[in-house]
Amino acid sequence: MKIVEADQLSLKYLEPEEINIAASLLFQAYHSDELLKQVLNADSDVDFAKKLRALIREELQTFSQSGQAMLGAFIDKQLVGVACAIATNGPLSAQRFWHWRLKLMLSAGYVQTKQLVAKEQAIRAAIEQYGECFYLSLIAIHPNAQGQGLGHYLLNGVEQLHLAEEEITGVAVFITQTAQKAFFLKHQYEVIEQMTFGEVSGELMYKKLESDGSES
């Protein structure tokens, strides 16, 4: 497999015109996510796809409007990866903005929106004891670009964001798959809590970050 050369790679905040491409990448990454399938409670694959697209669209729009971090990984000028991180001391509370909830209720459904907010509240409560941190809400690499180290490159970029945020001391992420766990373990993340939402279980992982950007 061809390995991407370092001078071909770049990492930057997403521009508004790149959000649709980012949404497509995220849809491909999460179309088999069992937790989202359960929460969105779709009647069919077509219905799930519709609700998932709506969820991703509203997430990205809310991130953009609130100034939360949306990082893109590029090979030359092609977007091949995206990561979205919520600062727990930022403007996005566990309840989110009322207009985000309203839009999501119209597209995904009232019950589904309540379940998503309840999940976020539970995760926020679990990481509260670790102080202010980034919560990695979404991360995806284009299928054709996987296996080339881009996921590690993108996650390193997320971790470096704390250098501009004095109060941020770590990064948290909730995972439900063994492969995801192995990926974050390579970056010195630790499991801090087992969590279950309905019939889907997962692990909340956390990494403490040093002020100079080095690993703890």
Side-chain angles (χ1 to χ4, degrees):
M1 176 178 291
K2 180 181 179 182
I3 303 299
V4 178
E5 298 293 337
D7 59 2
Q8 294 179 293
L9 295 174
S10 62
L11 193 68
K12 69 179 185 69
Y13 290 109
L14 293 181
E15 300 292 341
E17 61 269 19
E18 295 163 337
I19 288 180
N20 286 339
I21 301 175
S24 178
L25 290 179
L26 290 167
F27 177 81
Q28 293 180 72
Y30 289 92
H31 76 279
S32 297
D33 188 280
E34 293 300 324
L35 180 58
L36 286 177
K37 285 184 176 181
Q38 173 185 277
V39 171
L40 293 179
N41 190 30
D43 297 327
S44 63
D45 290 342
V46 173
D47 188 32
F48 173 68
K50 178 181 178 180
K51 290 183 175 181
L52 179 59
R53 291 185 190 279
L55 171 62
I56 291 172
R57 181 177 63 249
E58 299 305 336
E59 284 278 89
L60 293 180
Q61 288 181 357
T62 300
F63 266 77
S64 178
Q65 292 167 3
S66 62
Q68 295 293 294
M70 293 192 294
L71 285 182
F74 294 79
I75 298 178
D76 293 330
K77 295 183 179 181
Q78 181 180 1
L79 179 64
V80 294
V82 60
C84 300
I86 300 172
T88 57
N89 62 347
L92 287 185
S93 68
Q95 292 289 341
R96 295 296 180 91
F97 293 128
W98 69 268
H99 62 268
W100 178 87
R101 297 183 70 191
L102 176 60
K103 289 181 180 179
L104 194 57
M105 281 188 283
L106 292 174
S107 55
Y110 175 73
V111 174
Q112 289 77 14
T113 300
K114 285 189 63 177
Q115 290 176 335
L116 285 167
V117 172
K119 166 181 171 285
E120 186 172 282
Q121 287 178 316
I123 291 174
R124 185 69 65 92
I127 61 178
E128 192 172 47
Q129 62 181 301
Y130 295 91
E132 305 297 349
C133 68
F134 286 119
Y135 174 65
L136 185 58
S137 176
L138 299 166
I139 184 169
I141 297 294
H142 192 285
N144 293 339
Q146 292 178 6
Q148 303 183 55
L150 293 176
H152 298 287
Y153 176 71
L154 187 55
L155 183 58
N156 286 334
V158 172
E159 293 173 0
Q160 292 301 308
L161 293 175
H162 86 286
L163 297 175
E165 301 281 348
E166 293 183 359
E167 297 180 354
I168 298 295
T169 59
V171 180
V173 63
F174 179 71
I175 57 96
T176 59
Q177 299 177 21
T178 302
Q180 295 172 336
K181 181 177 180 179
F183 171 76
F184 286 100
L185 285 174
K186 290 181 179 179
H187 284 259
Q188 289 75 53
Y189 284 71
E190 298 179 353
V191 176
I192 59 174
E193 188 167 335
Q194 303 281 338
M195 306 185 78
T196 299
F197 299 99
E199 299 178 356
V200 178
S201 297
E203 295 171 310
L204 185 61
M205 304 184 74
Y206 178 82
K207 178 179 179 179
K208 180 177 174 58
L209 300 173
E210 298 297 334
S211 59
D212 61 356
S214 62
E215 294 174 359
S216 60

